[in-house]
Amino acid sequence: MGQKVNPIANRLGIIRGWDSSWYGGKEFPAKLVEDAKIRKYLGARLAKASVSKIVIERTLKLVTVTISTSRPGIIIGKGGAEVDKLKEELRKLTGKDVQINIFEVKRPELDAVIVSNNIARQVEGRISYRRAIKTTIAPTMRVGGEGVKIQISGRVGGAEMARSESYKEGRIPLHTFRADIDYNLAEALTKVGLLGVKVWICNGEVYAKRDLSPIVGMSASAAGRGGDDRRGGGRDDRRGGRDDRRGARRGGRDDRRGGRNSNNQ
């Protein structure tokens, strides 16, 4: 079963939550179509922003759209101008008030959506699929992934007959429900036809009871200058720490010299 079912759908309600969080009632079909429109529009509008996940929550009059991305600066824009423009576009699309939250993906190497789209864009740019896959597997394992599997299917390398090739490193326990496996299918439109890129990434196993909110564990990215202030502060703190350590070393040397002089006397 684990080999045939989408690993994310297979774990819904166990260790994964739903990307749409609302109650439809009699308006369920209309809201479902509206969700699909929002996701399709944002997918095309933010194609270069490395979007990982779009979570949609609804209240009586408000639609809250949470965008997870590894490049929040592109979506936020200068002084938050791009977010305001995007909010207005979504308001026209849905006819409702829209609130946008942006979350930063700290480790994009462990996100299957970002990894698969990255490989697909490289293949479209005529980079060798073997090189694109192998240069992707190494960083994923280095940042803490327990396993990664990548499968590319279609007229790979311009061959006359379509085939599938798989590359795997580490462990991918598809039948283990507590295993946190991220999965995505991306498509690369090449001159010889459409290639499918599937990515499975194992991020370890979940033993404790987990909050099923899809945005749990993410940190809100700061708009505008907030990120710069945070970086600057961090650098200053590190420099201050280095100066303190240097001062301590110099003080220790002076103490030792003072001890030698007193012994000589």
Side-chain angles (χ1 to χ4, degrees):
M1 182 178 69
Q3 300 290 338
K4 305 171 192 68
V5 183
N6 185 313
I8 294 174
N10 212 16
R11 288 161 176 79
L12 280 178
I14 302 171
I15 61 166
R16 293 292 295 252
W18 287 260
D19 287 351
S20 290
S21 178
W22 43 265
Y23 174 72
K26 293 181 180 178
E27 297 179 358
F28 180 85
K31 289 181 179 178
L32 191 64
V33 170
E34 197 174 89
D35 274 15
K37 280 183 184 176
I38 292 172
R39 292 180 199 280
K40 186 177 179 181
Y41 179 77
L42 290 177
R45 173 81 160 71
L46 306 174
K48 296 181 180 178
S50 298
V51 173
S52 160
K53 188 186 293 183
I54 297 170
V55 179
I56 300 173
E57 297 170 295
R58 294 174 185 270
T59 56
L60 208 57
K61 295 181 180 178
L62 183 69
V63 179
T64 304
V65 179
T66 304
I67 303 171
S68 302
T69 173
S70 62
R71 303 169 73 184
I74 293 177
I75 302 176
I76 293 168
K78 192 173 183 180
E82 288 296 320
V83 172
D84 296 335
K85 194 187 294 182
L86 191 62
K87 194 184 292 185
E88 186 62 28
E89 290 167 6
L90 289 179
R91 192 185 63 78
K92 287 179 182 177
L93 181 71
T94 61
K96 298 172 185 173
D97 289 334
V98 178
Q99 179 184 340
I100 296 178
N101 298 328
I102 298 170
F103 284 79
E104 184 179 3
V105 178
K106 295 292 184 184
R107 294 188 291 177
E109 298 89 355
L110 296 178
D111 194 290
V113 177
I114 295 174
V115 169
S116 60
N117 286 329
N118 184 30
I119 295 172
R121 299 296 81 79
Q122 289 185 62
V123 171
E124 285 179 347
R126 296 188 177 184
I127 292 175
S128 166
Y129 70 94
R130 284 194 188 93
R131 182 180 177 187
I133 290 172
K134 287 180 180 177
T135 53
T136 301
I137 290 176
T140 301
M141 297 300 291
R142 189 167 58 244
V143 298
E146 286 199 9
V148 57
K149 178 183 172 185
I150 300 173
Q151 179 179 312
I152 185 166
S153 306
R155 291 183 62 186
V156 181
E160 288 293 321
M161 187 175 287
R163 68 180 192 276
S164 295
E165 285 198 21
S166 295
Y167 297 82
K168 183 181 176 183
E169 189 169 334
R171 56 189 287 270
I172 305 287
L174 296 180
H175 290 75
T176 308
F177 285 169
R178 66 171 177 264
D180 185 7
I181 293 180
D182 200 11
Y183 166 80
N184 189 55
L185 165 63
E187 294 177 342
L189 183 59
T190 65
K191 277 197 168 185
V192 296
L194 203 64
L195 301 183
V197 180
K198 290 181 179 179
V199 174
W200 294 260
I201 296 176
C202 179
N203 293 315
E205 296 186 6
V206 180
Y207 291 99
K209 189 175 180 182
R210 190 184 230 185
D211 185 357
L212 297 182
S213 171
I215 57 172
V216 70
M218 298 180 188
S219 60
S221 86
R225 298 175 185 172
D228 298 336
D229 293 342
R230 196 167 58 248
R231 287 176 195 156
R235 284 174 188 158
D236 293 339
D237 292 341
R238 288 197 295 272
R239 284 173 188 159
R242 285 173 193 158
D243 293 340
D244 291 341
R245 287 196 295 273
R246 284 173 188 162
R249 286 191 203 117
R250 284 173 188 161
R253 285 173 192 160
D254 294 339
D255 292 340
R256 286 198 296 273
R257 282 173 188 163
R260 285 173 193 160
N261 293 334
S262 61
N263 291 333
N264 292 333
Q265 289 173 0

